[in-house]
Amino acid sequence: MPEINKYDTQIKNAHKDIFDFFGFRLENIKITVAENRIEYEKLLARKTADWEIGHTNSDKKTILLLDPERWIKDAPTHKPEEFPFLIKHELTHVYTDHLADGKALPMWLVEGLAGVISEQHKNAKVKYFETNFCSKLDTLNNWKQQANFGAYPTASLFVRYIINKYGFTVVEQLIKLAPANYSYYRFNKIVANIFKKNIIEIEQEFLDALQ
């Protein structure tokens, strides 16, 4: 396992950026950097796809990252210089889960918010669209089906649009008021109560703004 110290500055900077965004600090988050794909999979106790380079267990406040020096061989779709973004992405998951108090959130919100705060995909163009796309990017199973078809940049751009138009305070409220057990119908009711419009209407606003 590589010395965590060689990434200490990048990790400290990521913690600072996350604190600046959320306005509070979570302590005792453990970050482990796996030396290679073999060690990464051993620590996760499962096989992984070659695009997987980070994993967060919010309950235990642990983050596992693949050493960026191995990305060229073990994760060829990623560039090592993206490592600082990855740290912030995974830290955002811990903070988001803290706000949600363990409640399940739709994947487009979880991954989209992580993409916004980490500044990943900020120059991306939307690659994945269907009418009512949030319903197709909500559960883990649905997300996995679209992960390689632009789900990440689409979710990130959509959540960035919501934050820019309505403010993060409103998104934070949405996270905190999410139903204990996720369903599209229940979550859409919360959206309607907060925004005074449903998810499909906000999606359409987003699509119109892209034109």
Side-chain angles (χ1 to χ4, degrees), residues 164-190:
N164 288 343
K165 179 164 185 176
Y166 299 99
F168 177 68
T169 301
V170 177
V171 175
E172 187 176 14
Q173 185 182 11
L174 178 61
I175 292 170
K176 290 180 177 180
L177 294 178
N181 298 302
Y182 175 80
S183 77
Y184 181 85
Y185 172 77
R186 284 192 289 266
F187 192 79
N188 201 16
K189 285 185 66 176
I190 302 297

Side-chain angles (χ1 to χ4, degrees), residues 122-138:
K122 63 180 180 180
N123 297 318
K125 295 182 179 179
V126 174
K127 299 179 180 178
Y128 169 79
F129 270 139
E130 289 184 19
T131 303
N132 194 13
F133 63 85
C134 282
S135 69
K136 301 173 179 67
L137 299 175
D138 59 350

Side-chain angles (χ1 to χ4, degrees), residues 22 26 91-102 105 109-110 113-114 117 175:
F22 283 97
L26 294 177
L91 281 171
T92 299
H93 286 326
V94 180
Y95 277 70
T96 302
D97 193 66
H98 174 80
L99 290 176
D101 196 23
L105 299 171
L109 178 55
V110 172
L113 183 58
I117 297 175
I175 292 170

Side-chain angles (χ1 to χ4, degrees), residues 31 52 67 145 150 173 181:
I31 298 179
E52 293 184 66
D67 191 333
Q145 293 181 39
Q173 185 182 11
N181 298 302

Side-chain angles (χ1 to χ4, degrees), residues 14-15 18-19 22 24-32 54-65 86-103 105 109-111 113-114 117 175:
H15 275 290
I18 297 299
F19 168 74
F22 283 97
F24 64 89
R25 187 185 306 277
L26 294 177
E27 303 293 342
N28 303 317
I29 299 175
K30 181 182 178 182
I31 298 179
T32 300
H55 177 83
T56 296
N57 185 321
S58 295
D59 292 335
K60 296 182 179 179
K61 295 199 326 190
T62 60
I63 293 172
L64 176 64
L65 307 172
L86 173 67
I87 303 169
K88 288 193 286 186
H89 182 110
E90 299 302 329
L91 281 171
T92 299
H93 286 326
V94 180
Y95 277 70
T96 302
D97 193 66
H98 174 80
L99 290 176
D101 196 23
K103 291 175 288 189
L105 299 171
L109 178 55
V110 172
E111 294 296 344
L113 183 58
I117 297 175
I175 292 170

